[in-house]
Amino acid sequence: MKDIVFATNNEHKLAELRQIMGQMFHVLSLADIGCHEDIPENEPTIEGNARAKAQYVVEHYGYDCFSDDTGLEIDALGGEPGVHSARYGGVAHDSERNIDKVLRLMDGMPMEQRTAHFRTAICLMMDGDTHLFEGRVDGHILTERHGKGGFGYDSIFRPCEGDGRTFAQMTGEEKNAISHRGRAVARLVAYLLKR
Ligand code: IMP
């Protein structure tokens, strides 16, 4: 089976991708290839960051690779937090602070002004070629947290498709079926199956 690196150490994402692609590829994490350094993610777009991560692995480790980058884009905040989603509250990967900041900035806004979407970009670098895949889900930012599942901004994001629950109130399968990442991954897998 062909090796492919998924440029992440996020166990949730790895498990998800191994479940979907495990029959086709031996999916390796960054730790699996001995990459323990922080890969720079300083590009101004999620597409740029996805590409930078994949390129780093190809150049430094010589594996075929794909990487993902996700942003929550809130219309009333001019598309923020966007590429800054992971550290919007000032501390990297502190989801509670990130959510607090979003709720504070949107305090008092009516629901019709609380539209937002998640966007995931996946960059695949394989056999010398580069491909980009995108996935998007539209929804609303609620005024308070609902649900304990998921991660990141899931507890304040209610997708338009669905029955009124937030991502944090859904099972993993329910979320993956309509989510930004689920859709981008489906496009990646469709491409890999066709090649
Ligand atoms: P990453 O590019 O996947 O690391 O995502 C950047 C940030 O966006 C994360 O730190 C989370 O705060 C947020 N994020 C990414 N994916 C999701 C998701 O599926 N639900 C909620 N928040 C997410």
Side-chain angles (χ1 to χ4, degrees):
M1 213 184 307
K2 200 167 154 55
D3 283 343
I4 192 163
V5 173
F6 181 15
T8 187
N9 279 322
N10 180 319
E11 288 301 328
H12 297 288
K13 292 187 190 175
L14 271 169
E16 192 179 301
L17 266 289
R18 283 185 174 136
Q19 200 175 21
I20 299 170
M21 296 173 58
Q23 308 281 358
M24 277 188 285
F25 290 95
H26 185 218
V27 182
L28 302 165
S29 69
L30 290 174
D32 290 335
I33 60 167
C35 175
H36 299 293
E37 60 271 26
D38 269 340
I39 300 179
E41 291 184 48
N42 301 322
E43 300 297 321
T45 61
I46 60 169
E47 288 81 2
N49 277 332
R51 184 186 288 263
K53 279 187 273 186
Q55 195 156 0
Y56 185 95
V57 170
V58 171
E59 277 174 11
H60 291 78
Y61 292 88
Y63 283 93
D64 285 341
C65 177
F66 66 93
S67 65
D68 74 330
D69 202 54
T70 295
L72 171 64
E73 298 176 340
I74 300 174
D75 295 315
L77 302 182
E80 288 284 299
V83 75
H84 307 115
S85 293
R87 69 204 67 199
Y88 199 46
V91 180
H93 305 296
D94 187 333
S95 295
E96 295 313 309
R97 281 194 195 217
N98 292 342
I99 289 177
D100 286 341
K101 178 166 177 186
V102 166
L103 293 181
R104 198 169 60 243
L105 290 174
M106 298 182 77
D107 191 28
M109 276 185 200
M111 199 48 77
E112 63 269 20
Q113 285 175 23
R114 305 181 74 95
T115 53
H117 55 265
F118 278 109
R119 227 158 48 80
T120 292
I122 292 181
C123 179
L124 170 71
M125 290 192 176
M126 181 173 257
D127 302 332
D129 291 329
T130 301
H131 302 271
L132 273 176
F133 305 91
E134 195 195 67
R136 170 180 169 141
V137 60
D138 290 284
H140 289 88
I141 301 298
L142 301 186
T143 54
E144 55 186 33
R145 294 162 170 85
H146 294 272
K148 298 267 179 242
F151 71 103
Y153 299 89
D154 277 347
S155 65
I156 56 167
F157 185 83
R158 184 179 66 200
C160 294
E161 297 145 86
D163 54 10
R165 285 179 295 163
T166 64
F167 272 161
Q169 293 172 304
M170 296 183 180
T171 64
E173 286 90 52
E174 286 172 329
K175 178 185 166 186
N176 288 339
I178 57 169
S179 80
H180 44 301
R181 195 164 27 258
R183 287 178 170 150
V185 167
R187 292 189 169 136
L188 167 71
V189 170
Y191 171 79
L192 290 171
L193 284 172
K194 226 172 47 193
R195 326 172 71 249

